[in-house]
Amino acid sequence: MKHIVIIGGGIAGIEAACALTDAGHWVTVIEKNEQLGGKLNNWSYLFPDFTPTEKITGALQEKCREKDFSILSKTEVSTIQRKNGKFSIKTSGERHLEADALVVATGYEIFDARRKEEYGYKIYDHVITSADLEQLLLPGGDLTVAAENNPKRIAFVHCVGSRDEKTGNHYCSKVCCITGVKQAIELKKRLPEAEIYCFYMDLRMYGKHFEELYREAQEKYDIQFIRGRLSEASEKIDKSLLIKSEDTLSGRPLKMNVDLLVLLVGMEAGKGTTAAAATCGIGCEESGFLKTTDSFLKSNFSEQEGIFLAGSCTAPMTINDTISHARSAAMEVDNWLKKK
Amino acid sequence: MKNFGYSIIKQRTIDYDQFDGRLLNEILEMESSFKVCLSCGGCTATCSAGDLVSFNVRRMNLLLRRGETMELESEIKKCMLCGKCMLVCPRGINLRNVIMLIKKSILKYKLSG
Amino acid sequence: MKREGKMQVWKDYQKEIADDHYFYVRSCIRQNFFPGAEQTFLKILRAELGKDIYENPHHTSCSGIAYHADVVPFDTIQTIAARQFALMTEAGYQNFAVSCITSFGIYSEIIETWKEYPSELEKIRNYLKRATGREFEVPQNVAHASDIVYKFREEIADKKKFPLINQQTGQPLKIVEHIGCHYSKMFPAKGVGGAEFPNVLVGMIESWGGEVVDYPERRHCCGFGFRQYLVMSNRGYSVSNSRKKFESMEPYKPDAILCNCPGCPMFMDRWQYVIEEMEGKTYGENGQGIPVLTYEELAGLVLGYDPWDLGLQMHQTNCEPLLDKMGITYDPDLKYAGKDGKLIGKPTMVGCGC
């Protein structure tokens, strides 16, 4: 029986583990947190159809219980060495593992919005990120934390930490446009009196049902979309926020007062993925995400033979894309082990 | 008042907090198809009048949403009501009705310049 | 507003400021605009803090205004900067202390250019040698004079005679701060606290007992610019930008505006008078203006220096409302008296509640 070690127990890690267990291999998942599921655990509803997140996390947990694979939680990889065609892995807690193949599924990190100083995140009282908003939308979450007294006007800022040379992130994080539309609708459902605006540069509604949801946001929920990137936000004497943007379609600067500002934060490769690149001796793209040897045919192959890549450690991805990418990683591992 | 040879310039910024939304709300209520405009400009590209005078159908949505009533009033007078824009619109907006409604609402709320 | 968030930003932008032995370079325009400010800085450093600060009469303009107005090319201004550095080197100093924000930006830009393109540095060494026979070292430390006052703000606070407290109410004075654009908007890391939430003036105000009010347009340019004010017909840009700031700060009822640039206090001071003349509008209490001070003048007031020695009579927006709140006594009859007691002449155009 071959042993495969998967680094990261988020969606990609679990999905790959299940598929490889089904294929008859012995699998160990190394997860730095106590709980499997990664960032998904902090999300409330999923685009584009408002599926409650626990439906997905529940299904993943169910799978984990059914399948017979090992999980090392609260564990991090310290070193990886190749010995006689195998990988010798040392982890925190002085554990030692031997593997025939490795899958890196270290995922992403959420952009730290404090780096966009001009938006005053963690300084102004009523500026939050999309990740914060998800937590407030969870059962038991309290929206008044972000904006007391029923906010009359709410604005979303697209592309915070994405498509922005100033933050070093040239790429599009792919999920924020549709997240903004979803969250705007969700807020409108809970605060029907509020006016909601989305400030965007381009709306990238590429996925199944994305464009339809955007249309629904306009038609049914009166969400207004203003094309322009926020130059800055400032707190006023009453704690509301003055925001400035160009209304690029009419070619004039625009200012507006809002009671709550939501920053749609992008994805970054993050510390986990950067560390995995170093311990595995594999390369990163300029974006910081892991390099695949071929973007069409070998999107699960790292530069090192026997080390495979799954999910958003390679690029920003939706949950659907992550699941598909993890499954294809499992298939590639299986094929490679058979040929070996 | 002294003249120093220069003057204080009025701000061009659209101040979103300073406009009367009655016209906008009425149009959106009466012709809700107008809510889904994508600002693609297909209407303007095909417009019979826009080829001859500076008339931009797409901008009507913006003028309405930014409360530029004065400009809107003079703009819609240029429309020939031919309806070609409606043939093109990818979201099926009844633009001719929008123009007629703007005319009526301006009179109703006495917003005429 | 969450103070912890701002403190994190301040922590992220701390710069090295030399402790002693400064080679001081003055500003061309500040000596006209606020003639007491630089003298006060030197007095505080030498007499109050016991520091060694040296200036050389052969120092010239950095030519920054001409550079920003496209009259002086980059090669020329680099060579002029190199000459100032040569004077510093010849005098045996390594720490460059700059009075002017424009100059501070110029020196920072030039030194950064030399770091990125060492061939430029070699070229300029050659130019300077050929033109003047001088040689120079690049300064070890470049600090704006406000950085130095910031560094020693607590030492100044220890000697304070008049804290930034409203003596009538016992409350801290509300002060808005305004940094010059070229202080940290060009190189955020070269300003204490960065560009978005600069700490350099905030630190002084708080150490001396006052309270800073953040108003929405605090980052906006004062309107000084270079092309804006050089040509009279363009001055509408300048005054309109200052006006935008006054409108934004007015609801906070600030007791004073504190600046660290030559241009900002000049224009925020003078434009208040102009706006009153053009529109009849004033932004302070009781039809008065909001006094605009440089950090040296404010430090001088805190230390108990005579307001007329500080040159406050040269302000067009009267500073008396601030002096009254701080409980500073002054002789109105001596406002326009020279050092010899003779009248220096009273301005005909004084505004804002005069």
Side-chain angles (χ1 to χ4, degrees):
Chain A
M1 205 180 199
K2 304 282 189 190
H3 182 212
I4 300 138
V5 166
I6 299 180
I7 309 171
I11 314 168
I14 299 171
E15 196 61 37
C18 293
L20 285 165
T21 311
D22 284 346
H25 301 292
W26 166 35
V27 178
T28 303
V29 174
I30 299 176
E31 166 58 42
K32 65 172 189 273
N33 294 319
E34 190 162 3
Q35 213 183 346
L36 292 184
K39 305 272 188 303
L40 201 54
N41 294 320
N42 303 322
W43 236 244
S44 63
Y45 298 89
L46 304 176
F47 62 74
D49 60 0
F50 297 90
T51 298
T53 308
E54 65 256 25
K55 196 175 156 190
I56 309 297
T57 46
L60 288 173
Q61 280 160 12
E62 184 65 32
K63 265 184 171 181
C64 292
R65 275 194 294 274
E66 276 173 21
K67 317 282 178 190
D68 191 19
F69 62 82
S70 319
I71 299 163
L72 295 177
S73 59
K74 289 164 88 173
T75 305
E76 288 184 61
V77 174
S78 316
T79 59
I80 299 173
Q81 282 178 321
R82 276 178 196 270
K83 266 186 205 155
N84 314 321
K86 292 204 173 207
F87 294 98
S88 169
I89 302 157
K90 278 205 184 110
T91 71
S92 54
E94 297 306 307
R95 229 181 252 269
H96 182 248
L97 303 170
E98 287 237 319
D100 297 283
L102 281 179
V103 178
V104 179
T106 43
Y108 68 98
E109 258 176 34
I110 290 165
F111 174 77
D112 180 358
R114 282 179 302 187
R115 276 161 57 198
K116 290 300 287 176
E117 288 171 19
E118 58 270 42
Y119 297 156
Y121 179 60
K122 298 264 186 201
I123 292 179
Y124 304 145
D125 288 359
H126 296 153
V127 179
I128 62 171
T129 66
S130 43
D132 299 331
L133 182 59
E134 284 295 329
Q135 302 241 19
L136 303 176
L137 292 171
L138 280 167
D142 183 5
L143 263 184
T144 57
V145 172
E148 54 239 68
N149 313 327
N150 281 341
K152 285 184 203 62
R153 197 181 275 162
I154 301 166
F156 283 82
V157 189
H158 288 237
C159 302
V160 177
S162 308
R163 305 176 72 195
D164 180 3
E165 186 165 317
K166 292 276 155 58
T167 61
N169 298 339
H170 295 258
Y171 54 85
C172 164
S173 290
K174 227 176 147 184
V175 300
C176 330
C177 277
I178 184 67
T179 298
V181 170
K182 179 206 74 171
Q183 292 188 334
I185 292 176
E186 191 60 41
L187 274 182
K188 185 74 179 178
K189 284 183 191 166
R190 299 188 192 207
L191 305 163
E193 300 299 316
E195 291 173 23
I196 301 184
Y197 298 84
C198 288
F199 287 85
Y200 69 97
M201 297 198 286
D202 295 293
L203 284 171
R204 299 186 162 176
M205 298 294 155
Y206 57 93
K208 189 175 170 181
H209 298 314
F210 288 13
E211 181 69 20
E212 288 89 332
L213 194 69
Y214 164 42
R215 184 182 173 131
E216 201 178 320
Q218 287 179 298
E219 199 166 22
K220 201 169 154 197
Y221 295 98
D222 294 316
I223 314 291
Q224 295 203 49
F225 292 84
I226 299 178
R227 188 172 178 276
R229 188 183 179 92
L230 239 64
S231 63
E232 66 203 64
S234 322
E235 196 173 270
K236 294 181 73 167
I237 201 161
D238 62 356
K239 307 268 180 201
S240 69
L241 298 150
L242 175 72
I243 57 173
K244 293 182 188 170
S245 158
E246 189 195 359
D247 178 7
T248 59
L249 296 175
S250 63
R252 278 171 62 192
L254 178 146
K255 63 176 180 182
M256 180 190 274
N257 217 37
V258 300
D259 303 305
L260 177 65
L261 189 67
V262 185
L263 309 176
L264 291 162
V265 279
M267 293 181 173
E268 286 189 328
K271 288 191 281 291
T273 292
T274 309
T279 43
C280 296
I282 53 178
C284 295
E285 312 259 4
E286 200 192 328
S287 63
F289 290 97
L290 299 177
K291 202 182 266 176
T292 60
T293 48
D294 177 313
S295 57
F296 292 98
L297 301 171
K298 295 202 163 183
S299 74
N300 296 109
F301 287 79
S302 76
E303 288 175 329
Q304 295 264 4
E305 204 185 354
I307 302 181
F308 296 82
L309 311 174
S312 59
C313 59
T314 63
M317 270 185 202
T318 62
I319 294 171
N320 276 333
D321 289 347
T322 304
I323 291 172
S324 306
H325 199 243
R327 286 180 188 158
S328 78
M331 200 184 71
E332 298 287 14
V333 174
D334 188 45
N335 286 341
W336 182 76
L337 287 172
K338 276 180 190 152
K339 273 189 230 154
K340 201 177 159 190
Chain B
M1 296 288 137
K2 275 207 173 79
N3 182 354
F4 292 98
Y6 48 88
S7 55
I8 294 170
I9 307 163
K10 192 177 171 286
Q11 285 187 34
R12 267 184 83 241
T13 301
I14 299 165
D15 189 346
Y16 209 86
D17 302 329
Q18 303 293 332
F19 85 85
D20 177 355
R22 285 177 301 173
L23 192 62
L24 171 67
N25 293 335
E26 174 132 333
I27 309 294
L28 294 179
E29 181 137 324
M30 307 276 281
E31 184 50 67
S32 65
S33 70
F34 198 43
K35 287 180 179 178
V36 296
C37 174
L38 286 162
S39 288
C40 72
C43 47
T44 310
T46 195
C47 179
S48 305
D51 192 32
L52 306 172
V53 293
S54 65
F55 175 52
N56 185 322
V57 195
R58 173 184 61 80
R59 278 192 69 227
M60 279 199 323
N61 179 39
L62 291 166
L63 293 173
L64 200 59
R65 287 187 184 274
R66 309 287 178 261
E68 310 278 331
T69 313
M70 298 298 174
E71 204 181 333
L72 198 61
E73 190 196 9
S74 60
E75 277 298 290
I76 56 167
K77 285 179 186 156
K78 299 173 188 165
C79 173
M80 296 159 74
L81 297 172
C82 72
K84 271 171 77 184
C85 49
M86 292 157 63
L87 288 173
V88 173
C89 181
R91 285 199 156 172
I93 300 170
N94 187 345
L95 279 157
R96 193 158 44 192
N97 192 33
V98 169
I99 300 228
M100 295 311 290
L101 284 170
I102 292 173
K103 252 184 205 310
K104 280 187 205 161
S105 304
I106 285 176
L107 286 173
K108 179 177 165 188
Y109 293 116
K110 299 189 175 59
L111 295 169
S112 175
Chain C
M1 200 83 70
K2 296 170 190 154
R3 196 176 163 83
E4 319 85 76
K6 276 207 236 172
M7 285 167 74
Q8 183 58 48
V9 175
W10 295 338
K11 231 164 65 189
D12 291 346
Y13 293 100
Q14 282 301 321
K15 65 184 266 189
E16 203 183 311
I17 304 162
D19 191 46
D20 201 351
H21 308 298
Y22 310 100
F23 183 84
Y24 186 50
V25 288
R26 290 197 184 222
S27 154
C28 309
I29 56 178
R30 296 186 81 217
Q31 291 166 71
N32 288 304
F33 291 177
F34 302 98
E38 290 181 339
Q39 207 48 46
T40 305
F41 174 72
L42 292 173
K43 182 174 165 187
I44 292 172
L45 253 74
R46 288 176 181 146
E48 308 281 351
L49 303 168
K51 300 292 173 187
D52 165 35
I53 181 159
Y54 169 77
E55 52 174 342
N56 185 315
H58 298 294
H59 162 250
T60 67
S61 162
C62 76
S63 76
I65 291 179
Y67 171 63
H68 288 301
D70 270 358
V71 180
V72 160
F74 192 46
D75 275 5
T76 309
I77 196 168
Q78 286 189 81
T79 313
I80 293 170
R83 186 178 164 278
Q84 329 280 29
F85 296 154
L87 296 178
M88 176 198 77
T89 308
E90 288 160 16
Y93 286 82
Q94 293 177 321
N95 303 325
F96 208 62
V98 189
S99 167
C100 172
I101 290 285
T102 304
S103 306
F104 178 71
I106 294 286
Y107 294 125
S108 301
E109 181 184 345
I110 289 172
I111 292 170
E112 286 305 300
T113 303
W114 291 346
K115 278 186 199 154
E116 293 281 330
Y117 303 98
S119 61
E120 283 290 303
L121 175 59
E122 286 321 302
K123 183 176 81 184
I124 298 304
R125 284 194 193 285
N126 187 26
Y127 284 173
L128 186 72
K129 181 87 184 163
R130 273 163 49 203
T132 67
R134 292 178 193 270
E135 289 176 356
F136 69 98
E137 296 300 323
V138 179
Q140 294 280 314
N141 185 274
V142 176
H144 185 255
S146 64
D147 294 331
I148 297 167
V149 173
Y150 169 84
K151 188 180 175 82
F152 299 117
R153 65 195 186 283
E154 293 302 342
E155 284 83 344
I156 293 171
D158 290 343
K159 294 170 175 250
K160 66 176 180 282
K161 301 241 167 44
F162 298 99
L164 300 177
I165 303 280
N166 185 328
Q167 295 303 324
Q168 289 133 31
T169 64
Q171 295 297 310
L173 290 171
K174 281 190 282 188
I175 299 181
V176 301
E177 48 88 32
H178 177 87
I179 57 151
C181 291
H182 292 202
Y183 173 67
S184 63
K185 286 183 195 167
M186 287 160 69
F187 300 102
K190 296 200 184 298
V192 179
E196 288 293 335
F197 297 94
N199 187 224
V200 61
L201 298 174
V202 174
M204 296 179 203
I205 295 166
E206 292 183 347
S207 293
W208 302 340
E211 182 189 319
V212 175
V213 283
D214 273 339
Y215 60 108
E217 295 295 354
R218 68 177 196 286
R219 307 179 186 88
H220 196 73
C221 168
C222 70
F224 173 45
F226 289 95
R227 288 151 205 262
Q228 284 97 306
Y229 84 94
L230 287 173
V231 180
M232 194 215 271
S233 58
N234 282 355
R235 286 179 196 156
Y237 285 117
S238 181
V239 65
S240 304
N241 277 303
S242 292
R243 185 177 177 277
K244 185 172 174 177
K245 293 183 73 73
F246 299 140
E247 295 282 332
S248 177
M249 70 176 75
E250 191 184 14
Y252 297 82
K253 299 187 169 58
D255 298 303
I257 300 170
L258 183 64
C259 302
N260 71 345
C261 183
C264 312
M266 166 74 177
F267 283 89
M268 296 219 272
D269 179 69
R270 270 50 161 186
W271 287 146
Q272 286 194 67
Y273 159 74
V274 167
I275 292 167
E276 188 190 10
E277 290 286 12
M278 286 168 106
E279 295 190 325
K281 168 78 186 162
T282 50
Y283 294 94
E285 292 163 289
N286 311 319
Q288 292 171 315
I290 307 169
V292 187
L293 277 87
T294 69
Y295 56 95
E296 299 107 321
E297 290 167 341
L298 188 70
L301 289 180
V302 167
L303 288 167
Y305 297 177
D306 184 89
W308 310 143
D309 285 348
L310 292 171
L312 298 191
Q313 64 276 51
M314 303 305 279
H315 292 226
Q316 208 156 6
T317 300
N318 292 327
C319 294
E320 282 85 341
L322 178 70
L323 304 180
D324 294 339
K325 285 175 194 165
M326 288 174 74
I328 295 171
T329 48
Y330 52 89
D331 186 343
D333 294 336
L334 294 179
K335 183 168 180 178
Y336 297 108
K339 293 306 274 180
D340 56 3
K342 281 190 203 151
L343 199 66
I344 55 172
K346 198 173 170 177
T348 49
M349 294 194 293
V350 178
C352 290
C354 182

